[in-house]
Amino acid sequence: MTGTLRFGLTGDVMLGRLVDERYRTRDVSEVWGDVRERLRSLDALAINLECALSTRGSPWSRTHRPFHFRADPSWAVPALTDAGVSFAALANNHVLDFEEPAMRDTLEELSEAGIAHAGAGRTEGEAFAPATIEVDGVTIAFVSLTDNTPEYAVGPDEPGTAYVPIGDDDDLARERAGEAIADANATEPDLLVASLHWGPNMVTEPPPEFRRFARFLVDEGVDLVHGHSAHVFQGIEVIDDVPVLYDCGDFVDDYAVDHERRNDRSFLFTATLESETGSIETLRLFPTMIERCTVYRATEPAASWSRDRMRELSEPFGTSFERDGEELVLDLRG
């Protein structure tokens, strides 16, 4: 019998503002609440890092930006390493909130901590370049892309994000994404993950153009789609045995709570990988919730709400789950 690896994924991890204030003077491990040991037990962990890691820079003012997020790396980087974060997606609408100095610090802090990252850079080549990690002989490659905040897009002479205009210019989006995926495939990974920060806030269902783009990604060789941006989780679709997590919601932040859409509730998503091939056998969803700038295991009735809501949102895609204790389980072994 072959062994398995446990690869975790979360939605947005925003360590700025009130989270930053709270944990500058506390044990940094406390930000992970009672989920910490579960995170540390994983073989790999991928997040969307929804802030800069820096104390430098000035708030972006070239266009209107209502929020600016950054965290002091003196505590935030140890917190990420404490949880065992392996990869941070940076193609999002906050990595340049404090302009180029803070973005550069973010890249350097993650590199020095040994946390792989993709999606932002000083040049177009760097921003679109894939990242890879190796876990017990299994190579996982990541491509990080966003359709948010075009003013943050990397350019020939401007640092920034790996921006792809999904829906606005699908041909250009597919060209840029296809090139990034081809570069990732050239590393001959066992598993290729596309991490996408796409769409507006508080939307509970992916639009048709996202479903078409997900199909394109699968056809190009992506093995798992890791979506985020909406701040609320969305349903899961399986396309040719590839799980598409349209949005993983929020994992840690200080945001005001919408008591209908419940942006304070989500899951830790864990893909169980066959250790010889890296193929995904199951996807497990462990309910989580945010309280006082901290992530916790969801208690009742929050956990039941999240499970029921995920079933409801996934049903139109033909996706159904089994129940194993607190978790929902999606079997991908056919």
Side-chain angles (χ1 to χ4, degrees):
M1 181 177 178
T2 59
T4 57
L5 300 175
R6 297 171 65 242
F7 170 39
L9 305 104
T10 79
D12 292 357
V13 172
M14 200 293 286
L15 303 179
R17 294 195 316 188
L18 298 179
V19 186
D20 187 48
E21 292 180 17
R22 180 180 180 88
Y23 285 104
R24 285 189 188 194
T25 57
R26 296 171 181 257
D27 183 338
V28 300
S29 67
E30 293 178 8
V31 71
W32 310 117
D34 58 4
V35 184
R36 177 176 179 261
E37 293 309 315
R38 183 175 289 265
L39 295 174
R40 290 169 58 87
S41 72
L42 297 169
D43 297 296
L45 175 61
I47 67 168
N48 174 59
L49 183 62
E50 188 80 339
C51 63
L53 301 174
S54 180
T55 58
R56 301 195 304 143
S58 300
W60 177 281
S61 60
R62 286 180 264 172
T63 55
H64 175 65
R65 298 286 297 155
F67 306 112
H68 300 84
F69 300 153
R70 66 178 174 183
D72 188 331
S74 68
W75 80 266
V77 174
L80 295 174
T81 57
D82 177 73
V85 173
S86 310
F87 169 79
L90 300 180
N92 57 49
N93 56 322
H94 289 289
V95 71
L96 265 172
D97 278 359
F98 286 82
E99 292 275 3
E100 183 179 354
M103 191 199 77
R104 286 181 177 269
D105 287 349
T106 304
L107 299 174
E108 292 170 4
E109 292 285 352
L110 292 171
S111 294
E112 290 178 6
I115 298 173
H117 51 87
R122 304 165 185 85
T123 65
E124 289 180 326
E126 186 176 38
F128 281 92
T132 60
I133 62 174
E134 185 167 326
V135 186
D136 293 341
V138 172
T139 301
I140 305 175
F142 298 88
V143 169
S144 176
L145 307 168
T146 185
D147 73 346
N148 283 198
T149 318
E151 59 265 43
Y152 281 11
V154 68
D157 302 310
E158 289 284 338
T161 61
Y163 174 77
V164 292
I166 304 169
D168 295 328
D169 188 342
D170 278 343
D171 288 342
L172 180 57
R174 292 183 180 210
E175 178 184 351
R176 290 179 174 174
E179 290 173 353
I181 293 167
D183 289 343
N185 273 322
T187 68
E188 298 183 349
D190 298 297
L191 186 78
L192 174 52
V193 180
S195 191
L196 304 175
H197 203 69
W198 54 356
N201 295 347
M202 309 308 292
V203 173
T204 59
E205 299 175 6
E209 58 266 30
F210 284 15
R211 296 190 67 187
R212 291 194 296 267
F213 196 73
R215 160 57 70 181
F216 163 76
L217 295 174
V218 172
D219 289 344
E220 292 295 300
V222 168
D223 300 304
L224 189 154
V225 176
H226 172 220
H228 33 83
S229 177
H231 300 306
V232 291
F233 64 80
Q234 297 177 357
I236 295 173
E237 184 172 15
V238 180
I239 302 175
D240 293 347
D241 299 324
V242 172
V244 178
L245 286 58
Y246 281 108
D247 205 293
C248 293
D250 289 347
F251 198 64
V252 177
D253 59 48
D254 68 349
Y255 305 153
V257 176
D258 183 309
H259 290 284
E260 178 181 353
R261 295 181 178 88
R262 302 306 316 209
N263 53 300
D264 59 335
R265 298 175 182 174
S266 189
F267 299 91
L268 170 62
F269 301 82
T270 301
T272 302
L273 310 180
E274 201 277 313
S275 60
E276 289 188 2
T277 64
S279 61
I280 302 174
E281 296 184 335
T282 61
L283 184 69
R284 306 181 72 91
L285 283 62
F286 177 78
T288 61
M289 63 185 191
I290 303 167
E291 288 185 353
R292 300 181 304 278
C293 303
T294 305
V295 59
Y296 293 101
R297 163 185 164 270
T299 55
E300 297 298 345
S304 290
W305 183 93
S306 293
R307 285 189 293 264
D308 291 345
R309 183 65 173 151
M310 179 57 80
R311 289 183 189 273
E312 176 187 0
L313 293 171
S314 300
E315 185 178 9
F317 305 135
T319 305
S320 60
F321 302 89
E322 300 297 326
R323 175 82 181 273
D324 183 9
E326 297 172 88
E327 296 179 303
L328 293 178
V329 182
L330 176 59
D331 195 330
L332 296 161
R333 290 171 290 192

